[in-house]
Amino acid sequence: MYPQSGIIVCVCLLVSIITVILLPTNNATLGPGDRKQRSSNKKNGNGVVVNQPVNKNIESLQSVDERGLLTTAVKAKDILNNHNKYCDECRNKRRFNQISLAYVTPWNNRGYDIAKLFATKFDYISPVWFQIHPTTDENSSFNLGGTQDIDRGWMRDVQHAASLLNADHKVRFVPRVLFEGWTPQQLQTTLIKPEVQEDIASLLIETSRTYSFHGYVLECWHTHLSGRSTVGDLITFISNIGDIIGRSKKELILVIPPALDDNLSATGAFTREHINILEHHISLFSLMTYDFQSREIEGPISPAYWTIENVRYLATSEQLATRILTGINFYGHLFHSGSSSNNKRSEAITGSNYISILSGASSSKFVWHSQFDEHETRITTKSGSTAVAYYPTLASIANKLNQLDSIGSGIAIWEIGQGLDYFYDLL
């Protein structure tokens, strides 16, 4: 898989140029890039490459640190000219010392390629594949949807890519399972039954053995509470499934909401008491520390102080901190100016959206908010309209990773298909 890149590097050294290697979409093979195509890229008046394909990965011989990109003094041209250039030599080196989990979604295929390219950066990969639906079948009260998305070939490719970079690194596949389509009455009358819980756990175990999964990520806390299940019933449900799956030598990771609101007050939706009970039945916790405010409110997505305080609040011991995987967003929000400062139309944006917005803007200004440890991007379009984007930057991600590393907390990235390639130099 890699002989071509070795030859290219030798040629680069002889002729003293940097040759880049591209990873085409839906292709796991690393091969030489098209030098003519890249040389045809045009620059705007600010010296920014404006038509470079955003879905191609380009090797760099230097890390983001060595390229001087890890700074709060961000410029649009630096992002546009470097976002898809990753450090090849850094792919087999871990910078972040705690557990890392990466979510991959079937509606964003780019994440599948990123998982292969940076396989050793992730301890767990969670493809968002499964849903548990209620049924009217007299033989079963539920079924498992999403099995059509299972991609065993991709799983093998990821493990192979990881072994080429580090023979000792094994990625653990833990697909996400979501409860979907349940009425409040079904949640209250069906899922609380011990026999149903055992059947659900048994089906998940059987599926994991068939497809060589290492366990699952379970997302059910909001679903059950919105269905008026009691917290006690919900904890019993999760604990029983966790115990059964654990006895089969598989892992169960539970998705949990943030415990503190934007004022750092406890919401009560998930508490220390809850995690202190569940830690005896669950392997890890995936903490959703993003969407700090409503998407309709212009502002940061996941301020560092709020993220860290949520971990500290829930981690009643140093050991428990290591089992909390703190949510890291690789998506952003774009706010379009309306008729007044309080009238904003917003939308979620991915890395490719963000690059398109920057490349098409007549001007972009970056403002670092030290109280949030996030950048705000103020954009003026060529038509004269304005917008504000909050999308992660190298500085905001690095700051958060450093703080999490210091308290021993892991990370859960939502999701790797939405990020920019040079982000992975930081992991």
Side-chain angles (χ1 to χ4, degrees):
M1 185 173 177
Y2 291 96
Q4 281 182 308
S5 62
I7 294 171
I8 292 171
V9 171
C10 292
V11 172
C12 291
L13 293 175
L14 289 172
V15 300
S16 299
I17 62 172
I18 297 176
T19 304
V20 295
I21 296 175
L22 301 181
L23 176 66
T25 303
N26 298 325
N27 190 337
T29 303
L30 294 177
D34 183 342
R35 190 176 293 112
K36 288 185 178 180
Q37 180 180 354
R38 288 200 308 280
S39 65
S40 66
N41 285 335
K42 297 180 180 179
K43 296 183 178 181
N44 65 15
N46 297 320
V48 176
V49 177
V50 295
N51 65 339
Q52 181 168 279
V54 299
N55 63 337
K56 293 187 177 181
N57 317 88
I58 302 176
E59 283 187 8
S60 171
L61 299 180
Q62 296 179 312
S63 69
V64 290
D65 305 74
E66 294 167 326
R67 284 181 275 163
L69 299 174
L70 199 52
T71 174
T72 58
V74 175
K75 297 179 181 179
K77 68 177 182 180
D78 291 335
I79 295 177
L80 291 169
N81 291 340
N82 288 278
H83 69 90
N84 59 348
K85 297 175 184 176
Y86 63 89
C87 173
D88 185 55
E89 292 184 357
C90 304
R91 288 194 299 136
N92 65 343
K93 300 174 183 176
R94 290 287 289 265
R95 178 168 174 162
F96 183 70
N97 299 307
Q98 312 304 326
I99 298 172
S100 62
L101 179 148
Y103 286 103
V104 177
T105 59
W107 55 86
N108 192 344
N109 285 333
R110 188 169 178 275
Y112 288 83
D113 291 329
I114 293 296
K116 289 183 287 189
L117 187 60
F118 301 104
T120 57
K121 299 287 190 177
F122 313 119
D123 299 297
Y124 295 85
I125 293 180
S126 181
V128 179
W129 283 343
F130 297 139
Q131 315 86 39
I132 293 180
H133 299 113
T135 69
T136 55
D137 190 330
E138 61 181 16
N139 297 318
S140 177
S141 56
F142 64 90
N143 63 29
L144 183 65
T147 54
Q148 74 280 354
D149 289 321
I150 298 173
D151 191 338
R152 301 174 85 171
W154 167 74
M155 291 169 59
R156 287 191 295 268
D157 288 345
V158 172
Q159 292 289 24
H160 179 63
S163 68
L164 291 176
L165 292 168
N166 183 342
D168 296 325
H169 187 79
K170 302 296 181 185
V171 177
R172 300 177 186 181
F173 290 96
V174 285
R176 192 195 71 171
V177 179
L178 178 69
F179 283 80
E180 191 172 76
W182 295 80
T183 67
Q185 182 178 4
Q186 288 171 322
L187 288 171
Q188 287 182 297
T189 61
T190 303
L191 295 182
I192 63 171
K193 296 178 180 178
E195 62 271 23
V196 173
Q197 296 167 9
E198 187 167 346
D199 288 344
I200 290 173
S202 297
L203 176 59
L204 293 177
I205 291 168
E206 179 184 352
T207 305
S208 70
R209 288 171 175 166
T210 300
Y211 296 102
S212 300
F213 301 145
H214 298 81
Y216 296 93
V217 172
L218 180 65
E219 185 167 353
C220 65
W221 193 268
H222 280 308
T223 304
H224 282 57
L225 290 184
S226 64
R228 296 194 298 276
S229 295
T230 68
V231 173
D233 286 342
L234 178 55
I235 288 177
T236 299
F237 171 80
I238 295 169
S239 299
N240 288 344
I241 290 181
D243 289 343
I244 298 170
I245 288 178
R247 287 195 293 269
S248 71
K249 308 302 181 185
K250 301 293 182 180
E251 298 184 69
L252 189 65
I253 300 171
L254 179 66
V255 176
I256 58 175
L260 305 178
D261 62 18
D262 53 0
N263 293 315
L264 300 184
S265 299
T267 65
F270 193 82
T271 68
R272 288 171 175 162
E273 290 73 21
H274 299 154
I275 199 169
N276 287 341
I277 296 171
L278 289 167
E279 68 168 315
H280 302 292
H281 310 276
I282 297 297
S283 300
L284 300 166
F285 297 89
S286 179
L287 176 60
M288 296 190 295
T289 40
Y290 21 72
D291 293 343
F292 168 67
Q293 302 176 118
S294 165
R295 190 184 297 176
E296 299 307 313
I297 301 175
E298 184 179 311
I301 296 174
S302 180
Y305 79 88
W306 175 73
T307 300
I308 302 304
E309 286 305 312
N310 265 281
V311 178
R312 286 178 172 154
Y313 175 83
L314 290 172
T316 53
S317 68
E318 291 183 6
Q319 192 277 335
L320 184 53
T322 65
R323 294 169 58 191
I324 296 175
L325 309 182
T326 306
I328 302 291
N329 59 291
F330 275 7
Y331 65 90
H333 290 164
L334 178 69
F335 300 88
H336 301 276
S337 295
S339 57
S340 70
S341 60
N342 295 321
N343 181 15
K344 302 281 185 179
R345 184 170 61 85
S346 65
E347 60 182 300
I349 55 173
T350 65
S352 58
N353 299 144
Y354 185 63
I355 295 303
S356 296
I357 291 165
L358 287 182
S359 63
S362 63
S363 67
S364 302
K365 180 180 179 181
F366 295 83
V367 178
W368 176 255
H369 294 288
S370 57
Q371 70 270 39
F372 303 132
D373 291 323
E374 286 193 21
H375 275 102
E376 171 191 344
T377 312
R378 298 174 182 174
I379 300 157
T380 302
T381 68
K382 292 177 181 177
S383 64
S385 63
T386 60
V388 169
Y390 282 88
Y391 183 82
T393 58
L394 290 169
S396 67
I397 295 171
N399 179 285
K400 195 173 293 181
L401 291 178
N402 290 338
Q403 292 189 62
L404 292 171
D405 216 344
S406 69
I407 62 176
S409 173
I411 58 172
I413 302 170
W414 185 273
E415 47 96 0
I416 57 174
Q418 298 176 339
L420 300 177
D421 296 340
Y422 67 175
F423 286 174
Y424 302 97
D425 283 10
L426 301 175
L427 299 183

